[in-house]
Amino acid sequence: MNIYNTLSNRKEEFKPITQGKVKMYVCGPTVYNYFHIGNARPLIFFDVVKNFFEYLGNEVTFVRNITDIDDKLIQRSIEENIPVSEIAAKYTKAFFEDCRALEISPADHHPKATEYINDMIDLIKELVEKNIAYEVNGDVYFSVSDFPGYGKLSGKKIDDLKAGARVEANKQKKHPADFTLWKKAKSGEPNWSSPWGEGRPGWHTECVVMSRKLLGKTFDIHGGGIDLIFPHHENEIAQAEASGNKNLANYWMHNGYLNIEGEKMSKSLNNFFTARDILKKYDAESIRFFFLSKHYRSPIDFNESIIIESKQAVKNFYNILKESDYLSIKDNKFEYSDVHLKYKDEFISAMNNDFNTAKAISVLFDITKTYNKTKDPIYIHLLIELGNVLGFFMNIEEKLNNEISDISNELIDLIINYRISFKKEKNWKMADAIRNDLKKIGVVLKDTPEGTEWSIEK
RNA sequence: GGCGACAUCGCCAAGCGGUAAGGCAAAGGUCUGCAAAAUCUUUAUCCCCGGUUCGAAUCCGGGUGUCGCCUCCA
């Protein structure tokens, strides 16, 4: 398997630290708000990464952290006039709800930053002792000049950072690019005791500490959005390696950005969509198809027409699942032969090539086409097996059943409307026949002055 | 100012030196009482200009254009 590694800027053969096991860490949400459609990209993509490794027979340990203490939470807490802990609880809950709605399977661990404060303090202490971090007035900074490898992930040079116009001016820092490890608490802010006084950890420390605790000092894959390369991941590497790790992670994977109609999503442009909002209009699989139809490292553009296209494409998969009457063949015994395995191989080699999900999806379409020609139900099993790797057709039985129950209400209303037409025409014979026949299947009609009501009685 | 990515049919998109996958949309045919589904057929030489090569969408150089990072951000 080849994976594009941001550290080397090229595709590399993936070699796990322990054969048959994959340890991965992906930066999760800061729970200060509902997550937006752009946040859904790494959630869906790394869900697929995990699935694929498991499909190949690996035992995967997947960690996705929850940042529940941060400037933005504090700001939100002030805005909503609710304690930080309640903000965090509210949006953590919402995060899991939205993930479920998007059919993203949970990680193995969801560590919260506030549960690892002591470990973070220990790490910061160690860095201070090693003279690679320094304290000023209750704040602790990491000294980038004292860490030779700084910039190796993002390809930035410390001097360029200094020259850049956008580096924050802070007289306390030795170097403008030094980043905060520990922040002194202002009054009223959540705080923890530390050797440097009351305060809270900076954002970049938590991921180092939590990954170390749950995955060990060096693990296989660290993932996240492309915007996290700098400074977040760069700073993680600096802390981890300054404190004795040879490598924090062997492979760094970053997904590209999502734009809205060609522009960056932002509140000021009024093109900001939460996943929650999108889910009101479009189903999880259409959204997933939209993301996976493009390579994860490319930027992707979100707009109404493109998601409708995706929806149409997904619908075509469901057409054949319904037509094949999957529910009745699902328990059939079957064995793949070479003709079937050819598609499986194609699918796997697409995915092996740095997770080429777009190519993998095209294999799914090839399978549907072949099924339509041959009507060989094994192709349906194959379609579902491979589709599942991408997160499609999950809980397929339930969905096919639900679809029927969803439609049944509308169906009964439809029949009732026909009966109302017959009543208007005084065609009592037909109207009564409909009522009697419905009763036979347990649907009881009542004609009231407000109209026809119905209920299920069995 | 520094760093980087991308440019392939109407739209989305794969392609990683050997002669342009796939999806959506559209048009026509078959099938059909009519629809739907299915099926067959049709639609690009890959932003421009040079170069390397027997051979380039794919490599190199130069343009043009779009986007991103350098500040919290997936």
Side-chain angles (χ1 to χ4, degrees), chain A residues 67-71 74 112-122 124 138 140 180-185 190-194 196-207 209 239:
Chain A
T67 300
D68 60 349
I69 177 65
D70 179 78
D71 287 354
I74 291 172
K112 292 177 182 168
T114 53
E115 292 167 355
Y116 290 83
I117 302 281
N118 288 337
D119 298 299
M120 286 192 243
I121 290 172
D122 288 344
I124 298 169
V140 182
T180 308
L181 298 174
W182 187 263
K183 206 170 212 167
K184 186 179 178 177
N191 63 76
W192 290 263
S193 315
S194 80
W196 317 283
E198 307 293 302
R200 62 192 151 88
W203 174 42
H204 309 301
T205 308
E206 66 178 80
C207 291
V209 164
Q239 291 171 81

Side-chain angles (χ1 to χ4, degrees), chain A residues 251-286:
Chain A
Y251 301 86
W252 289 80
M253 296 176 70
H254 294 97
N255 63 274
Y257 244 119
L258 172 134
N259 294 318
I260 305 284
E261 303 196 22
E263 284 179 309
K264 185 172 171 174
M265 175 163 42
S266 75
K267 282 181 178 158
S268 56
L269 286 169
N270 203 22
N271 62 359
F272 187 92
F273 300 105
T274 63
R276 220 160 242 239
D277 287 338
I278 305 286
L279 276 163
K280 281 177 195 157
K281 269 181 108 174
Y282 301 100
D283 61 293
E285 283 178 291
S286 299

Side-chain angles (χ1 to χ4, degrees), chain A residues 323-368:
Chain A
E323 196 199 285
S324 70
D325 199 5
Y326 174 69
L327 294 178
S328 72
I329 62 163
K330 70 183 170 63
D331 295 325
N332 290 6
K333 286 221 164 66
F334 63 93
E335 209 171 303
Y336 294 136
S337 66
D338 287 351
V339 279
H340 309 109
L341 291 173
K342 190 184 67 155
Y343 293 102
K344 190 167 163 173
D345 289 346
E346 257 180 71
F347 180 91
I348 289 173
S349 69
M351 292 296 282
N352 270 337
N353 184 11
D354 195 29
F355 302 94
N356 191 337
T357 53
K359 186 81 189 287
I361 284 178
S362 80
V363 176
L364 261 37
F365 279 109
D366 289 343
I367 293 171
T368 63

